[in-house]
Amino acid sequence: MNLRLGEPTRASVAIERVDRAGWKKRLAKLSPAARASLKARGFELRPGAHILLDKPDGSPDRVLWAGGEEGDALAIGKLASALPAGRYRLDGSAAPAMDALAFLLGGYRFDRYRKKPAPAAVLEAPAGVDRAEVERIANAVALGRDLVNTPANDLGPAALERAARALAGAHGARVKSIVGPALLKQNFPLVHAVGRAAREAPRIVDISWNARGKGPSVALVGKGVCFDTGGLDIKPDAAMLLMKKDMGGAAAALAAGAMIMGARLPVRLRIVLPIVENAISGDAFRPGDVYSSRKGLTVEVGNTDAEGRLILADALALADEAAPDLLIDFATLTGAARVALGPDLPAFFTDDDALADEIAKAGARVADPVWRLPLWKPYAAGLAGKIADLNNVAGGGFAGSIVAALFLRRFVERAGAWAHFDIYGWNPSAKAGRPEGGEAQAARLVYDLVRDRAARTRN
Ligand code: BES
Ligand code: MN
Ligand code: ZN
């Protein structure tokens, strides 16, 4: 869907921000009829509350909006779905750009399988806000959400490659893909092993944009498992139900890429997506199998359900070969990260304390929160293979998110800095600005961070 702000008109309904301190005075200035209406409808000025007041003729007059909970920068996004269709404008917003973005993000709906989208509340572009920028960010997030929400029967490896190509094409980026048996010839043994059982061939999609330009080189890698059955170590029904979202890392990488390219940031961008379906057939990879990796390390398969780190190992190795200044990967990698931090707070890992600081700050700035977990080296011992260099899982199952990150770390050597985001890629229930369903977690954060780095290296 296309998320847009409205052109300012005369006939729009103000969304007026009211706060506790000024509430008594504001009440006194309302008409007696409006005061009576507030009272009759039991309106209380609590966080998240709003009320639509009518004019004497019954047409909408203004919305009184109490603001959200402390620190909820996307709070106003709730109004995008709560208000009736019509045109609205901000009145008294302290952060109009963030409010406008929150409103667009809150108005997102996944309507691919619905007859016709219901008319919606439209927010007019606030004065002084870079409307194109806000719309670009919202639509990049919407792209990520759409990809995650699309079920695997309509978004298999071939369709995900097409979506990546469409985005690249829209920005004049170069795309290369390596598909099926060619993965073996070009040395991506792990991507091939994980994806070979599926009807649609496994692949690497490699996008470059502004390759001959100036600025730092940034590589984004995203886990693109279009469906994760677990493989022969098959998942039980409840754990498999949502596994269309296991390409959420690829969706986040594409969303961040869309923002970076759309804003024409002065960076040399690469997006590498390992794309597979972790399926079951006579050709499936097995527990106990040993494969070489692109990097040359041999890997023993302790569990076919730890497939994400296998395909990421080859993709990270490829991106790392070019020694990018910044290498970032996104992946719906472990259930353990969700046990630790829940669905709304992606874990991130990096050895670079300066980068960790930038990530935390960018996340707070743009309301895309994340939390650092340690690359605790002693746990890497658990990944020793019995007959190969590495096992893809450690015994015991403790610290699963850290162990997965430590596995990935073995495949990154030359990048100037590396960070790994273990995301959920999904909002289990609707929150302000975050409708239930797919979510491009950490994409806005990474865009902001890259923009900041690009600006600093320019000076
Ligand atoms: N895609 C899953 C991880 C996942 C599960 C993310 C549920 C979000 C919600 C991944 O491929 C997986 O299955 N990981 C296993 C690893 C285990 C076998 C070591 C996990 O987390 O259970
Ligand atoms: Mn899995
Ligand atoms: Zn997976």
Side-chain angles (χ1 to χ4, degrees), residues 223 225 228-230 233 235 239 242-243 245-247 278 302-309 331-338 392-394 397 400-401 403-404 422-425:
K223 171 178 170 180
V225 176
D228 183 9
T229 65
D233 290 312
K235 288 181 184 293
L242 260 183
M243 283 298 129
K245 76 169 179 68
D246 213 19
M247 32 56 67
N278 189 14
N303 192 316
T304 62
D305 199 9
E307 83 297 339
R309 63 196 75 178
T332 51
L333 202 61
T334 69
R338 307 295 57 94
N392 74 332
V393 293
S401 177
V403 168
D422 192 335
I423 65 173
Y424 192 49

Side-chain angles (χ1 to χ4, degrees), residues 42-295:
F43 181 73
E44 278 177 57
L45 199 71
R46 298 174 268 94
H50 79 277
I51 190 160
L52 176 56
L53 293 174
D54 288 340
K55 289 185 182 140
D57 69 359
S59 65
D61 179 20
R62 57 179 46 237
V63 177
L64 300 183
W65 157 242
E69 295 285 356
E70 175 92 34
D72 184 2
L74 300 185
I76 204 169
K78 186 192 129 186
L79 297 188
S81 57
L83 291 175
R87 300 183 71 85
Y88 299 87
R89 68 176 186 276
L90 298 176
D91 177 3
S93 166
M98 183 58 93
D99 279 351
L101 176 63
F103 200 94
L104 289 184
L105 293 175
Y108 168 88
R109 274 184 41 141
F110 181 58
D111 53 20
R112 174 168 175 160
Y113 302 107
R114 304 278 187 198
K115 275 220 179 68
K116 60 168 189 228
V122 172
L123 184 72
E124 293 179 349
V129 163
D130 183 345
R131 173 179 174 182
E133 166 82 349
V134 170
E135 290 177 345
R136 269 199 310 270
I137 294 172
N139 284 300
V141 171
L143 165 70
R145 289 174 176 175
D146 281 347
L147 291 172
V148 174
N149 285 327
T150 305
N153 62 310
D154 280 327
L155 196 95
L160 183 51
E161 175 178 349
R162 280 197 297 276
R165 282 184 179 277
L167 175 69
H171 296 283
R174 242 197 48 221
V175 189
K176 232 182 69 181
S177 65
I178 306 162
V179 182
L183 288 169
L184 289 178
K185 281 192 216 99
Q186 296 188 44
N187 195 24
F188 296 92
L190 292 174
V191 179
H192 183 268
V194 172
R196 72 189 187 200
R199 188 166 55 86
E200 289 185 20
R203 61 203 71 203
I204 287 267
V205 172
D206 187 354
I207 298 174
S208 6
W209 177 81
N210 194 32
R212 284 155 186 237
K214 290 211 172 74
S217 52
V218 176
L220 307 179
V221 174
K223 171 178 170 180
V225 176
C226 292
F227 195 79
D228 183 9
T229 65
L232 291 172
D233 290 312
I234 191 169
K235 288 181 184 293
D237 54 2
M240 202 190 296
L241 186 59
L242 260 183
M243 283 298 129
K244 69 172 182 181
K245 76 169 179 68
D246 213 19
M247 32 56 67
L254 289 172
M259 295 174 209
I260 291 168
M261 294 188 287
R264 303 182 161 280
L265 292 188
V267 298
R268 291 166 289 148
L269 179 69
R270 187 170 186 195
I271 305 174
V272 177
L273 307 177
I275 299 177
V276 300
E277 180 178 344
N278 189 14
I280 298 172
S281 79
D283 196 27
F285 75 125
R286 312 163 192 83
D289 281 0
V290 174
Y291 298 94
S292 187
S293 62
R294 178 170 188 82
K295 201 169 181 58

Side-chain angles (χ1 to χ4, degrees), residues 310-399:
L310 295 174
I311 65 171
L312 284 167
D314 279 354
L316 283 169
L318 171 68
D320 189 64
E321 283 159 21
D325 296 313
L326 180 61
L327 173 55
I328 289 182
D329 76 78
F330 307 84
T332 51
L333 202 61
T334 69
R338 307 295 57 94
V339 173
L341 298 173
D344 304 338
L345 195 55
F348 77 92
F349 298 83
T350 181
D351 278 324
D352 185 321
D353 289 342
L355 177 59
D357 199 50
E358 284 175 62
I359 289 172
K361 287 199 171 113
R365 228 167 19 231
V366 301
D368 200 0
V370 294
W371 204 266
R372 189 182 189 183
L373 292 181
L375 284 158
W376 183 252
K377 293 197 186 76
Y379 292 163
L383 286 167
K386 291 227 187 298
I387 61 169
D389 296 330
L390 276 171
N391 198 300
N392 74 332
V393 293
F398 289 135

